[in-house]
Amino acid sequence: MKRFRSNKNLVLPSSAFLLGGCTAVQPPQADLPNIIFVVSDDHSAPFLGAYGDPNVKTPNIDRLAHEGILFRNAYTTAPQSVPSRASLMTGRSVVDVRMTRFSAPLPADIVSYPELLRTAGYYTGICGRTFHLDGSRVPPETETVFQEYGLRTFEKRVDYLRQGQSREALTQFIKFLEQTPKDKPFFIQVGYNEPHRIFDATDFEPEPSALEWPADWPDIPELRKDVAGYYGEIQRLDVYVGQLLDELDKRGLTENTLVVFIGDNGGALLRGKGTLNELGLHVPLLARWPGKIEPGSVSNALVSGEDIAPTFLEIAGVDIPAEITGKSFVPAFADSSFSAHTYLFAERGAHGHGLPNHSAAFDLGRTVFSKEYKLIYNALWQLPYWPVDFANQPFWLKLQEQNKNGTLDVSYRQRFFAAHRPIFEFYDRINDPRELNNLAGNPAYAEQEHLLKVELQRWMILNRDFLPLPIPPQ
């Protein structure tokens, strides 16, 4: 395998980073691959066939795993689209790039990796589902500020920018290819709506009663129907991804194109999107690069959303700026034992544009975890849990009714309807992967809990986090 060189000690002068591209343009290398970054929306692992989920059929997405590499431990830096995508686009933490408020556009002084790819001669683009980083669905008062100060910047950051529904993504992608100069490699991010709510892929849904069911979810018909809807969205997504891969084959681009597939954050499911739990942060990550990645490879390395940017930059031969805190996972393409992280971090901030009426719209939390243990810091522990994107769904209304009349199992009552949450949660990830048994304060785990608090304290200090630190003064 060809090895790529990066220099993490190089700090490029800020004057080199001008919106619309960098001033220091390197001549393109003839052997640079094209890069396609496919992003699904609200997609938790393990909801793909390649991850062993028996309830879903995804032959096209699975093809990327069979012909490339599957990452078992990929996590986003936030359980929400905007902050998570900010890290994907910059290689930096959400707090560091000042994107903890959902409706914020990416600050103009924060450089995105497509701008850096231009320095290697790439023609760059974004199409499909909104990329979420220029501010969207804002009230007129906010739009006035955006316009007055020129806060929307992505038309200058990439060569081609289109937004639309999933069904439009292929057409936009083809137009991008037709506009790409023949002497340039290309990069494009292709976004899809699925499996974001609303669930309307009824023709693709499996039979709810036939689903294999996790023991920690209430087994009621309303929830089974909802989860079947989620699976239907993923199976429709698979069709769209298949069309994209077929287009590459038809144009003879497959052999020299790296395709990376990721979910932007976890699904809007119980203890998923909007929470720092496993289903909120754990996402599928697949990569295919013929001749460079051994087909059927699997990596158990911890991978952060911050790692996408430095990976693409290393492949393009671009020196990785010092402010990027992510780590390239290119070595995992050849080395199954590769591991760049001992700990990963994520944050929870505002969601959407509403007032802070409940913890779905506004919550403040941080997490740090290793392969063995996980600490969640609920800074607004006084607030009860409230779901993101499904509070009006029939299954949630049914659970509320059961909780009110006392027929809901006590474990579900504690998990979803407690008057408040613990300030700290601590989980043994090996023996309790679904995070059901909070060990915070347990003397048998005091040393491990304190160690994760130390690591979170360090991360929050270095990122100039605005939350109170988890270890108070003595």
Side-chain angles (χ1 to χ4, degrees):
M1 172 183 287
K2 180 178 178 180
R3 286 292 187 181
F4 297 88
R5 178 177 57 84
S6 65
N7 182 0
K8 288 187 174 289
N9 297 317
L10 178 68
V11 181
L12 296 179
S14 58
S15 61
F17 298 127
L18 302 178
L19 291 181
C22 302
T23 57
V25 179
Q26 304 170 3
Q29 301 177 30
D31 60 346
L32 286 179
N34 305 309
I35 302 173
I36 299 176
F37 188 36
V38 180
V39 184
S40 58
D41 202 305
D42 291 1
H43 193 173
S44 299
F47 295 94
L48 284 177
Y51 281 82
D53 190 326
N55 296 320
V56 66
K57 292 180 173 58
T58 49
N60 296 301
I61 301 174
D62 294 349
R63 176 184 167 191
L64 297 175
H66 300 325
E67 298 177 358
I69 187 169
L70 179 149
F71 291 87
R72 294 196 182 280
N73 294 297
Y75 292 84
T76 57
T77 60
Q80 311 137 272
S81 296
V82 174
S84 171
R85 288 168 184 259
S87 287
L88 293 174
M89 188 62 74
T90 65
R92 300 165 65 177
S93 84
V94 180
V95 179
D96 184 35
V97 298
R98 312 191 300 279
M99 288 292 288
T100 58
R101 185 169 55 79
F102 192 89
S103 59
L106 186 69
D109 63 309
I110 302 296
V111 179
S112 64
Y113 71 79
E115 296 170 86
L116 298 175
L117 289 177
R118 280 175 160 179
T119 70
Y122 275 80
Y123 186 75
T124 61
I126 297 172
C127 73
R129 167 74 163 163
T130 177
F131 55 96
H132 285 295
L133 298 180
D134 252 349
S136 60
R137 293 167 52 193
V138 297
E141 295 83 353
T142 300
E143 183 63 33
T144 297
V145 179
F146 284 2
Q147 294 294 333
E148 181 178 355
Y149 290 92
L151 299 183
R152 288 201 170 100
T153 59
F154 267 82
E155 283 191 356
K156 299 178 181 178
R157 294 181 189 257
V158 295
D159 299 300
Y160 176 94
L161 185 64
R162 300 289 187 277
Q163 295 185 65
Q165 301 299 311
S166 293
R167 62 181 177 273
E168 301 171 275
L170 181 64
T171 299
Q172 293 173 348
F173 173 66
I174 292 172
K175 288 182 178 178
F176 168 81
L177 293 179
E178 292 172 348
Q179 294 180 22
T180 301
K182 300 303 182 184
D183 61 341
K184 284 178 174 284
F186 66 79
F187 161 83
I188 188 166
Q189 175 177 304
V190 183
Y192 294 99
N193 297 69
E194 291 81 6
H196 194 289
R197 293 181 185 268
I198 302 170
F199 300 161
D200 59 5
T202 53
D203 292 342
F204 296 86
E205 293 177 8
E207 169 56 44
S209 63
L211 297 176
E212 290 195 17
W213 202 248
D216 60 309
W217 279 359
D219 195 352
I220 58 176
E222 295 86 351
L223 184 55
R224 279 187 171 268
K225 185 177 188 306
D226 190 80
V227 173
Y230 186 72
Y231 279 119
E233 293 289 314
I234 294 172
Q235 294 187 153
R236 181 169 64 184
L237 167 68
D238 187 71
V239 173
Y240 289 132
V241 173
Q243 293 171 348
L244 182 72
L245 298 179
D246 288 346
E247 189 67 27
L248 289 179
D249 290 342
K250 184 174 71 174
R251 293 174 176 266
L253 294 172
T254 298
E255 292 303 309
N256 193 40
T257 299
L258 167 67
V259 180
V260 175
F261 175 96
I262 197 172
D264 70 340
N265 54 259
L269 306 166
L270 287 172
R271 301 179 87 215
K273 181 180 182 179
T275 80
L276 295 171
N277 294 109
E278 180 76 0
L279 276 185
L281 299 171
H282 189 196
V283 294
L285 175 61
L286 310 169
R288 182 190 72 179
W289 189 6
K292 301 295 192 299
I293 300 176
E294 186 71 23
S297 298
V298 174
S299 172
N300 292 313
L302 286 174
V303 176
S304 167
E306 296 178 22
D307 299 338
I308 293 294
T311 298
F312 290 164
L313 294 177
E314 180 172 351
I315 287 169
V318 177
D319 290 314
I320 300 171
E323 61 266 25
I324 285 182
T325 47
K327 307 293 183 183
S328 168
F329 52 77
V330 166
F333 295 167
D335 181 4
S336 61
S337 66
F338 167 78
S339 179
H341 299 283
T342 302
Y343 303 101
L344 295 185
F345 303 85
E347 69 86 42
R348 169 60 153 99
H351 188 85
H353 312 292
L355 295 174
N357 295 320
H358 45 63
S359 61
F362 185 67
D363 199 6
L364 295 175
R366 306 290 184 259
T367 185
V368 56
F369 53 96
S370 64
K371 286 185 177 180
E372 293 81 21
Y373 298 104
K374 179 175 184 177
L375 176 78
I376 296 176
Y377 170 27
N378 296 306
L380 296 182
W381 59 274
Q382 303 93 333
L383 300 180
Y385 165 76
W386 193 254
V388 172
D389 287 359
F390 60 80
N392 294 320
Q393 293 300 314
F395 80 87
W396 183 252
L397 298 178
K398 180 69 172 183
L399 293 178
Q400 284 182 311
E401 177 188 345
Q402 291 181 344
N403 179 62
K404 185 176 181 179
N405 63 29
T407 60
L408 186 64
D409 184 273
V410 64
S411 64
Y412 301 136
R413 294 179 63 186
Q414 293 172 345
R415 207 166 297 152
F416 305 127
F417 299 106
H420 62 79
R421 299 164 295 172
I423 190 168
F424 292 111
E425 300 173 53
F426 185 80
Y427 298 106
D428 180 338
R429 300 188 66 225
I430 294 177
N431 297 306
D432 181 23
R434 302 285 290 192
E435 301 171 355
L436 304 177
N437 184 21
N438 183 11
L439 300 170
N442 186 325
Y445 294 88
E447 181 178 353
Q448 293 92 336
E449 181 180 346
H450 180 70
L451 175 61
L452 289 194
K453 286 182 179 178
V454 169
E455 293 299 326
L456 183 58
Q457 185 109 336
R458 177 195 301 272
W459 181 85
M460 291 175 68
I461 291 171
L462 293 177
N463 282 273
R464 291 176 170 81
D465 203 330
F466 54 86
L467 289 190
L469 297 173
I471 303 176
Q474 297 299 314

